[in-house]
Amino acid sequence: MDADVVIVGAGPVGLMLAGELCLAGVRPLILERQPRLRETPKASGFNGQIVELLRYRGLLDRVEAASGRPVVPAPGAPFGGVHLDFSHLADPPVRVVHLPQPRLERLLGERASELGAGIRRGYEVAGVSQDDATVAADVRGPDGPYRVTARYLVGCDGAHSKVRDTAGIGFPGTTYPEVNRLAQVTVPDSVTRLDNGDLDVPGLGRIRAGFTRTDRGVFGFGSLTHGGLLVQTTEDDPDISDDAPMTLTEFRDSIRRVLGADLPLGDVTRLSRYGFQARQAERYRDGRILLAGDAAHQFPATGIGINFGMLDAVNLAWKLAAVIAGWAPAGLLDTYHDERHFAGARALLQTQAQVALRRGQDPAAEALRELFLHLLADEQPLRRLGALIAGTSIRCPMPGPGQHALAGSFAPDLTLHTGQGTTSVAELMHAARPVLLDLAGRQDLREAARDWQPRIDIHTAQTDHRPADALLIRPDAHIAWAAAAGEPAGTAVPALRGALSRWFGIPRPVQNRPGVLERG
């Protein structure tokens, strides 16, 4: 076979998946139909839970270096035509990275290559097929058609996924008539940029920074770091085609329709058009073919696709690697669909709610938006909605009775004091390996876990205000099991062994226990 796993698509999701697979000892091959890296950004940044996960992989320093700006808490966020204000919160629930998508793809591609992934650009997948042992992709490349085979294939090839279509996986949902036109521009001297960010336009007057709603659509703009503006219009246009590139004339005409007047423009460095869909694949796995990212879900709101897609990749990688290595317990790979389809459905819920909020133009809709903002004046609902946007409120369902409150959640980054010095949960997760973290000197739990070495790492440490006696952390940084403070061995040991078997397979007894390496 040409690879352990073929990944179709070299966007952020496919590249993140390739890096994660390499960390787990798997040989991935990425096939990308575009012959070179894209220069036009589909997104100017990203936010959400993936920001913390990148820190847990030791990548956030590289991300900040590529961005040229530090990762900061978001002072606010758009939500269905209203603005959520996080600026007064001591610890805002959303962190944002200002990094255009081409730079993110370059960074993730360099990392994947460093780790050993193969990336072939200019190779378009025309179809996929599978049998009980392999999956094959029919490819059109620079040297003509040929076939690539692997153990598994993952479609990370976007909303119009060829992998999903040829695998026969349904993609039900709704296409909305809204058309969004976007441009990066400068404005001539005749347009005055005011100190508060507003624009003063001859013949039109003042336009407030942010979003301006008219009875013909929405006009929005914001300042970019290099001094230009990001300008957007939104209007219903159900007959528009996505196939033809957007022209400057089309963009000017849209501004005129929405504002009722012309906006003078200077240099234009980006023009793009996109619509909104609310769709989710019926299943994320069909035998040896899997889906991740936009191939699996499309959300009718911007700003969350990269987050949820890259989190798909992190969830999938270690499970796929376990199957390829031969130690995965029965049903492990199916939990990818269970967990990430649930996460996608939650994201779809809040983004469809945004559609309902933003589309209404009558006084009743204005009243709804005003009441919505009134309810969010309280900190708790504002934080809850922020966590929903970021994906930080989603917990992986953990089977078994009497689960600890932390089970299924993203592991907190505790400061850890060990015999070798101070470290953290984030540093332990750099290698993307399972970790049993003993925080209470529980030799009984460490002894119970030794049969699973070297599949898992065992660490002992102390921390202030420990949340549990011990944590079993999956490679995707989610807690698979936790022992309550002071929980007796009679319940903690069997529960730990059950969780280890459920996630990391049948144990392999160690012959010489005194010689077993125990990290930490």
Side-chain angles (χ1 to χ4, degrees):
M1 289 182 284
D2 298 282
D4 294 323
V5 179
V6 165
I7 300 169
V8 182
V13 178
L15 293 167
M16 186 71 187
L17 177 60
E20 292 284 296
L21 287 170
C22 287
L23 287 175
V26 171
R27 297 180 303 124
L29 172 64
I30 303 177
L31 302 175
E32 166 57 51
R33 67 184 181 88
Q34 298 291 341
R36 59 188 62 87
L37 281 167
R38 302 174 183 87
E39 295 300 328
T40 302
K42 288 186 176 181
S44 57
F46 59 95
N47 58 50
Q49 184 72 79
I50 192 61
V51 178
E52 193 73 347
L53 194 285
L54 290 172
R55 189 167 70 84
Y56 278 38
R57 290 294 187 264
L59 286 173
L60 207 52
D61 287 346
R62 292 176 66 169
V63 168
E64 289 184 324
S67 168
R69 300 170 63 180
V71 174
V72 295
F79 190 91
V82 301
H83 179 73
L84 306 183
D85 183 8
F86 301 138
S87 62
H88 61 285
L89 299 179
D91 182 23
V94 180
R95 298 178 71 203
V96 61
V97 176
H98 297 282
L99 183 66
Q101 187 169 329
R103 291 191 212 167
L104 174 63
E105 291 178 359
R106 182 171 286 107
L107 185 155
L108 294 175
E110 290 171 354
R111 173 180 180 257
S113 297
E114 290 165 6
L115 293 171
I119 304 176
R120 297 181 187 174
R121 299 187 181 275
Y123 291 79
E124 182 175 6
V125 172
V128 296
S129 58
Q130 61 178 317
D131 56 31
D132 291 341
T134 60
V135 61
D138 293 314
V139 181
R140 291 191 290 263
D143 298 322
Y146 70 105
R147 173 167 283 200
V148 175
T149 60
R151 296 275 300 276
Y152 289 88
L153 181 144
V154 186
C156 303
D157 51 340
H160 303 291
S161 171
K162 177 67 73 172
V163 171
R164 186 189 62 238
D165 288 347
T166 56
I169 298 174
F171 199 43
T174 302
T175 299
Y176 295 96
E178 292 167 287
V179 174
N180 299 270
R181 296 176 174 90
L182 194 69
Q184 290 182 6
V185 304
T186 62
V187 291
D189 293 339
S190 60
V191 177
T192 303
R193 297 181 66 172
L194 304 177
D195 291 341
N196 64 354
D198 294 351
L199 298 180
D200 191 0
V201 182
L204 185 60
R206 177 174 293 194
I207 305 176
R208 290 184 305 169
F211 295 96
T212 299
R213 186 180 298 273
T214 73
D215 58 5
R216 297 168 297 277
V218 177
F219 174 84
F221 76 92
S223 297
L224 297 170
T225 55
H226 55 68
L229 297 177
L230 188 65
V231 180
Q232 176 179 311
T233 64
T234 302
E235 53 183 332
D236 282 1
D237 193 352
D239 298 325
I240 194 70
S241 171
D242 286 337
D243 296 335
M246 191 177 79
T247 64
L248 181 56
T249 298
E250 178 186 333
F251 188 57
R252 290 182 186 274
D253 290 345
S254 180
I255 293 175
R256 187 181 306 113
R257 287 193 298 269
V258 173
L259 288 180
D262 289 316
L263 172 68
L265 300 177
D267 296 329
V268 180
T269 55
R270 171 189 174 188
L271 286 167
S272 60
R273 178 200 314 112
Y274 64 93
F276 282 127
Q277 296 187 60
R279 298 185 181 277
Q280 188 172 26
E282 292 176 336
R283 57 192 187 277
Y284 287 10
R285 179 191 178 193
D286 182 79
R288 294 182 175 273
I289 299 171
L290 301 105
L291 304 176
D294 288 350
H297 41 64
Q298 275 283 285
F299 306 124
T302 58
I304 69 169
I306 288 178
N307 177 38
F308 278 84
M310 289 176 68
L311 291 174
D312 288 347
V314 176
N315 184 289
L316 173 60
W318 72 272
K319 298 172 181 178
L320 201 51
V323 173
I324 291 170
W327 57 258
L332 178 66
L333 197 50
D334 291 328
T335 67
Y336 167 66
H337 167 87
D338 297 339
E339 294 176 358
R340 294 312 298 168
H341 194 276
F342 171 76
R346 292 290 293 170
L348 205 56
L349 175 71
Q350 57 101 347
T351 52
Q352 285 182 298
Q354 292 191 50
V355 173
L357 274 175
R358 73 170 178 255
R359 283 188 58 76
Q361 302 293 337
D362 60 8
E366 290 291 348
L368 176 62
R369 287 188 283 267
E370 183 177 347
L371 178 60
F372 185 78
L373 281 176
H374 178 73
L375 295 174
L376 292 176
D378 294 333
E379 180 172 339
Q380 183 180 8
L382 183 61
R383 284 191 176 280
R384 182 171 294 178
L385 191 56
L388 193 61
I389 294 169
T392 55
S393 63
I394 295 172
R395 293 189 171 212
C396 298
M398 293 294 160
Q403 287 281 2
H404 192 282
L406 288 173
S409 66
F410 194 86
D413 188 20
L414 306 173
T415 299
L416 304 174
H417 307 287
T418 75
Q420 288 74 44
T422 301
T423 183
S424 66
V425 169
E427 290 185 11
L428 297 187
M429 301 309 300
H430 283 188
R433 285 179 51 82
V435 168
L436 176 66
L437 179 57
D438 174 13
L439 298 171
R442 294 289 300 262
Q443 183 176 352
D444 54 340
L445 299 180
R446 300 196 305 273
E447 190 70 24
R450 283 180 176 170
D451 285 348
W452 278 266
Q453 289 183 312
R455 290 181 206 157
I456 71 167
D457 295 338
I458 299 175
H459 295 269
T460 58
Q462 293 180 338
T463 189
D464 297 333
H465 312 295
R466 70 174 186 268
D469 273 6
L471 301 173
L472 179 62
I473 308 174
R474 306 189 320 189
D476 57 8
H478 281 78
I479 296 173
W481 169 89
E487 183 176 353
T491 58
V493 168
L496 171 59
R497 292 183 67 87
L500 287 163
S501 296
R502 185 177 300 116
W503 295 109
F504 308 117
I506 299 171
R508 295 180 178 177
V510 180
Q511 299 300 318
N512 299 310
R513 289 188 183 275
V516 172
L517 173 64
E518 182 174 311
R519 305 188 182 194

